[in-house]
Structure formats: C-alpha cells, structure tokens
Amino acid sequence: MVQPRVGRDLEDLTARARIRDAAIELFADRGAATTIRDIARAAGVSAGLVRHHFGSKDALREACDAFVLDRAMSMKEQVMADGFGNPAFLSAAHPTILLTYRYVARALIDGSAPAAAMFDELVRLGTAWFERHDPEASEDLPALSAVIVAMHTGLVVMHEHLARNLGADVFELAGYLRMSRALIDLYSRPLLDDPTAAAARSSIDKVSEGER
Amino acid sequence: MVQPRVGRDLEDLTARARIRDAAIELFADRGAATTIRDIARAAGVSAGLVRHHFGSKDALREACDAFVLDRAMSMKEQVMADGFGNPAFLSAAHPTILLTYRYVARALIDGSAPAAAMFDELVRLGTAWFERHDPEASEDLPALSAVIVAMHTGLVVMHEHLARNLGADVFELAGYLRMSRALIDLYSRPLLDDPTAAAARSSIDKVSEGER
DNA sequence: GGAGTGGCTGTACGCGTGTATAGCCTGTTG
DNA sequence: CAACAGGCTATACACGCGTACAGCCACTCC
C-alpha cells in the first residue's frame, strides 16, 4: 500500500513513539486526568497497545516524565553555556521547547517527583547564578530564586488566561514576543520606589519581631 | 444530648455550610478531581446529603465558586480602598484569605469560568492602576498587568514547591514573610541593567520586523 | 514450509464514580 | 394524637476507568 507523505512526520514514527508523543501532548494540557483510551485515540492505536508497550498508565507517565525532563535538562545546559543575559532566550519560542515548558509546568501541578526535582535544581542554579553575578539582588538569594522559578513556571501554567487577555497565544511568536517585552519591562524598571520598598520591609520586620 | 464545645466551630455550622466549607477546602488543593464521597467524609455527612443540598457535583462546584469569588471580590475592593503600595498587604496572611487565593488559583487551572472572569477583572484593575500611578512602567501596560497577574496566581499554584525550597510553608506566617521580602526585592531592584534590557528589546524588535 | 516471535486488536472484568430513589427519624402542625 | 415535612442515610444502577487476557496477523528463521 502506498503511504501518502502529507508532511506530517507522525506517520513515520514507530507506534511506540507515536503513543509517547500523544501522551506527552495530552498530559501537558489535561494533566493526570488524561485517559489511556484518549491517548490511544490520539496516537491512532488501540488502548491495549499502550499497555503492551508501557505496562501501565503510571509507567507511561514515568516514561514521559523521563523523556521530557531529559530534554529539559539538556536545554537547561544549553542556556547555561550560552549565558543568562543573552538575548538567545528568543530561541525558546521553538514549539518543542514550548511543549516541554507546558509539560513540566503541568507535571509540577500533578505532583510529579521528577518535575519537582527539576524545580529544585532550577532554584539551585538560579541561586548560584545570583551569587556569582548579582549578589546584591537580595539578602535572601535562595528565596528570590525560588520565587522567580515559581512565578515563571506558574506563568506557563496560566498561559491560557494570559493568552485570552493578550488576544494572542503566548505559544505562538507574536504573543510570545509581547509577553517577553512585558517581562523585560518588569525586570528592568522597578515597580516599587525606594521609600515604598523600605516601608514595606520595615512593616515585615515589625511583624517578624512581634512573632519572635 | 450534650454537645461538647471543643473550640472547633465546624460543629456549630449547618450541615449545608459544613459541606460547602469542606468542598472549598478540597477543591482548593485537589481541584476538580475531588470526589463527592471525599467531600461528604470530610464534612461528616453521607454522600447523598451533598446531592440533596446542592443537586449535583457541578452545581456544588458553582456554588463554591460563587461563594469564594464573592469573598475575593470584596477583598479586592478592600485593597483598592486601602491603596496598593500600602503595607497593609500583610493582612493577606489571614487563613481565610490564603484559602481564597488557593481556591481561585486552582479554579483557574481547572477552567472555571467565574475564576477566569475574575482574572480578567484583576488584569483590568492592574492596567488602570498603572495608567494612573505608573504609566512609564511599560509601553504595553495591559500586557504588563496580565503578566503580573498570571505570575502571581501562578505563584500561588506553585506554593507546594516554593514551600519545599524555602523550608517553610508560605501559607504560614514565617514562610509568607520570607516570600514577601523576596517579592519586594524583586520589584524594587531591577534584575536587568539598562544595556542588557536594551539589547533584549532590540533582539525582539528584530525578530518582530522579520515576521512583518 | 512449519514453528515461533512480537506488534497489535477486541473483549471482558472489577472498581470507583456521579446520580437516582426509597425510606428513616425528628420536630411541627392541625 | 395522627399526619406531614424536611434533613438525612443506605442501597442500587449505569458508566467510564485501568487492567487483564486470548487471539490475530505478518514476518523471520531453521
């Protein structure tokens, strides 16, 4: 039988790979609630085959976690090599990378242990980066790093609501650029002036001492 | 029969109110996956009674949404009245307020329409605030506002991972204060210096023009 | 050329879910 | 005191889920 090549490379993949890819896509946006039968349908195979190749739903989940987090870790090393302040961040607009973000963010919500480990690793890396390049950013660099990582993974989780308000999908170029510009503004122009920040800090200190 | 008063006020509430409170608590941290039977168990009633009072699981969900979002909206107006830069933000450490945050953040993930409407409202309010008090914060104030709202709701969603990295629950005072300090640092000390920010912006402009 | 192997399908089973309903128990009303 | 009403429970049912298993089909190897 002639295999029509319609430009979709999904047809070329092993059934096992198609199942994995379909699962990653579905896990990324519906999370753990995704059904084995849904995955099978998306991959164009029977539900039995999913189990045949991966053993169980949990095992499939773990395989997807490993696959995606592997990719994420090598992306991370790429970024580390390039340097942080580098405008190369724009390459993050690549579809596969965006899928990776979505998957990891969703996995964090669903309580995936490997994703949590990656979160922690990112916090460590961020802390180390601050210690080396911007130790004055905060008196509590680990907390600052943790907050930033949480906010950015959270930002990905909220992409649907962000897109609705921007009028553009942040996983497509136009929306991604608009979001990036806003982030640059956020990180380059302080929202709190010095007196306001000082007042806020002293309020916290007061409460803190009251507790002691 | 004598009703022992053990200090827990849950005992005093109507069964209907206990069901609602238990549902809010469970929805807030497990989301839509929460079971009617789990809610019933937490409220100390039978599963049938949940349906008796609320009709269906979806109706219960809507009732909880309405209840919590009502509370959230009045909190919002309180904040608006107090003013934003006000250190009164510390009052946000109140348990009920934190539960409200958690519930709303989780509802956003689970696709609740009322929660999405509130998200949009917050973006509008943020934009208006910037227009009035800090119009230089960005050339694209709606995008900046949307990004900030998304990051902060996302931050709440990631509270578990944040807590693990801080070594303190951010829904208890100590962790909340530590997180708040980090946020103040983030918003008062620019992470990107001017040349870096300018370089990043021009990279985006270049890509943007290439697309046009 | 027959046996074996592995990718793959279809059907079936047990379980937990949301939902429905019949009935109990207590307090109120005529 | 009898009838009623409503908060509440227990049981039952249909459905979709993850899982298990028996078997088909194409291909390879002796």
Side-chain angles (χ1 to χ4, degrees):
Chain A
M1 189 192 298
V2 180
Q3 276 279 24
R5 288 297 224 86
V6 287
R8 296 182 35 100
D9 49 352
L10 267 192
E11 311 295 333
D12 302 338
L13 297 174
T14 325
R16 190 174 197 281
R18 265 183 299 145
I19 292 170
R20 195 228 306 121
D21 289 355
I24 289 173
E25 179 64 37
L26 288 174
F27 280 143
D29 64 54
R30 295 188 220 168
T34 308
T35 278
I36 284 194
R37 286 169 174 85
D38 282 344
I39 294 170
R41 198 174 310 122
V45 299
S46 75
L49 191 61
V50 175
R51 186 177 142 73
H52 175 72
H53 278 303
F54 293 92
S56 76
K57 186 185 176 179
D58 279 346
L60 170 59
R61 189 76 210 280
E62 286 165 23
C64 291
D65 276 14
F67 187 85
V68 173
L69 291 176
D70 237 48
R71 213 156 53 184
M73 281 302 179
S74 60
M75 280 166 42
K76 179 207 71 188
E77 275 158 28
Q78 185 68 33
V79 170
M80 294 297 286
D82 287 358
F84 266 116
N86 197 319
F89 68 89
L90 285 173
S91 65
H94 189 282
T96 300
I97 296 181
L98 295 174
L99 174 60
T100 302
Y101 283 170
R102 272 166 54 216
Y103 185 97
V104 173
R106 184 66 201 200
L108 284 170
I109 295 174
D110 289 333
S112 149
M118 183 183 177
F119 185 102
D120 297 352
E121 171 72 5
L122 288 177
V123 172
R124 265 192 303 275
L125 286 171
T127 305
W129 187 88
F130 276 122
E131 281 167 355
R132 191 170 162 75
H133 295 97
D134 192 4
E136 305 298 316
S138 171
E139 282 73 45
D140 189 355
L141 294 179
L144 179 63
S145 178
V147 164
I148 290 176
V149 172
M151 285 180 110
H152 275 257
T153 50
L155 184 62
V156 176
V157 170
M158 293 295 164
H159 72 92
E160 176 192 332
H161 304 288
L162 193 57
R164 188 181 58 248
N165 277 273
L166 292 182
D169 189 346
V170 290
F171 289 143
E172 290 178 4
L173 191 57
Y176 185 80
L177 293 181
R178 191 158 169 222
M179 179 186 74
S180 298
R181 260 188 276 253
L183 281 171
I184 293 169
D185 291 342
L186 182 63
Y187 286 139
S188 61
R189 304 175 189 171
L191 291 182
L192 268 43
D193 57 21
D194 285 346
T196 308
R201 285 192 190 95
S202 79
S203 302
I204 291 183
D205 289 343
K206 211 180 306 172
V207 175
S208 221
E209 278 163 24
E211 271 308 288
R212 202 180 306 154
Chain B
M1 189 190 302
V2 179
Q3 276 279 26
R5 288 298 223 87
V6 287
R8 297 184 31 103
D9 48 353
L10 267 190
E11 312 295 332
D12 303 338
L13 296 174
T14 327
R16 189 176 198 282
R18 264 183 299 145
I19 292 171
R20 194 226 309 121
D21 288 354
I24 289 173
E25 180 63 37
L26 288 174
F27 280 143
D29 64 52
R30 295 189 219 168
T34 310
T35 277
I36 284 194
R37 286 171 174 83
D38 282 344
I39 295 170
R41 197 172 312 123
V45 300
S46 75
L49 191 61
V50 175
R51 186 177 142 73
H52 175 72
H53 278 303
F54 292 92
S56 76
K57 186 184 175 179
D58 279 346
L60 170 59
R61 189 77 210 280
E62 286 164 24
C64 290
D65 277 14
F67 187 85
V68 174
L69 291 176
D70 239 48
R71 211 157 53 184
M73 283 301 180
S74 60
M75 280 166 42
K76 178 207 73 188
E77 276 158 28
Q78 185 67 33
V79 170
M80 294 298 285
D82 288 356
F84 266 117
N86 197 319
F89 69 90
L90 285 174
S91 66
H94 188 280
T96 301
I97 297 182
L98 295 174
L99 175 60
T100 303
Y101 282 169
R102 272 166 54 215
Y103 185 96
V104 174
R106 184 66 200 195
L108 284 170
I109 294 175
D110 288 333
S112 149
M118 183 183 177
F119 185 101
D120 298 352
E121 172 73 4
L122 289 177
V123 172
R124 264 193 303 276
L125 287 172
T127 305
W129 187 89
F130 277 123
E131 280 166 356
R132 192 170 161 75
H133 295 98
D134 193 3
E136 305 298 316
S138 171
E139 281 73 45
D140 188 355
L141 294 179
L144 179 63
S145 178
V147 164
I148 291 176
V149 172
M151 286 180 109
H152 276 256
T153 51
L155 183 63
V156 176
V157 169
M158 293 295 163
H159 73 92
E160 177 192 331
H161 303 288
L162 193 56
R164 188 181 58 249
N165 277 273
L166 292 183
D169 189 346
V170 290
F171 290 143
E172 290 177 4
L173 190 58
Y176 185 81
L177 293 181
R178 190 157 168 223
M179 179 186 74
S180 298
R181 260 188 275 253
L183 281 171
I184 293 169
D185 291 342
L186 182 64
Y187 286 139
S188 60
R189 303 173 189 172
L191 291 182
L192 269 42
D193 57 22
D194 285 345
T196 308
R201 285 193 190 94
S202 79
S203 303
I204 291 182
D205 290 343
K206 212 181 305 172
V207 176
S208 222
E209 277 162 22
E211 272 306 287
R212 202 179 303 155

